[in-house]
Structure formats: C-alpha cells, structure tokens
Amino acid sequence: MKIINATQAKQTFGELLNNAQQEPVAIQKHQKDFAILLSSARYQELLAFEDQCLHGLAVLAEQEGFIGVEASKKLLDSI
C-alpha cells in the first residue's frame, strides 16, 4: 500500500486517483492514517464480501436455533 501525506494528496490529486486504481493509498495526517483511498471496483468487492460474511453468520445463527427478529418481538410481546 502506498502512503502519502495530506499535502501531497492535495498537490497530486490526479496521480493519487490513478494510483488508487492499482492499489489502496493511505493518506496520512500528522503521521497517522487518516483515510484510505481505493478504487470503486475494490470497494464493491469489499461490500460483496461483507454481505457474504453476514449471510453466513445469519445462516449459522438459524442453524444453531436462534430465532429471528419477528419471532423475538412476538415472544417479548407475549410476556
């Protein structure tokens, strides 16, 4: 991952965008990561991966006997 400071990011914004198409770029402020710039394609990949992980957790919870939101509401309302 390429690392640049915020001043460099402002001065070379076009180059920064081009670099982000190849690999994520960390933008630092006061020697600390402030933001990570990545391509739209990579961002979409991460969103899809997150959805896949959450789906897997939901399936696992259902298999282990956890009840859903609606069932939880009905149970609480009946008490």
Side-chain angles (χ1 to χ4, degrees):
M1 177 177 352
K2 185 172 180 155
I3 300 171
I4 65 171
N5 65 42
T7 302
Q8 290 172 312
K10 285 191 278 187
Q11 293 171 347
T12 61
F13 189 68
E15 184 180 337
L16 173 63
L17 292 176
N18 290 335
N19 287 335
Q21 296 304 307
Q22 305 303 315
E23 66 178 328
V25 180
I27 302 171
Q28 292 188 338
K29 216 172 181 183
H30 307 292
Q31 291 85 39
K32 293 183 182 179
D33 286 352
F34 186 76
I36 306 293
L37 183 65
L38 54 129
S39 69
S40 178
R42 182 64 178 136
Y43 178 68
Q44 294 302 319
E45 290 172 2
L46 292 172
L47 288 178
F49 180 71
E50 180 182 47
D51 286 347
Q52 184 181 17
C53 290
L54 292 174
H55 174 74
L57 288 172
V59 168
L60 181 62
E62 186 178 41
Q63 289 172 346
E64 291 183 357
F66 289 95
I67 60 177
V69 174
E70 291 302 318
S72 295
K73 287 180 183 178
K74 287 180 184 176
L75 179 62
L76 290 173
D77 289 343
S78 71
I79 297 177

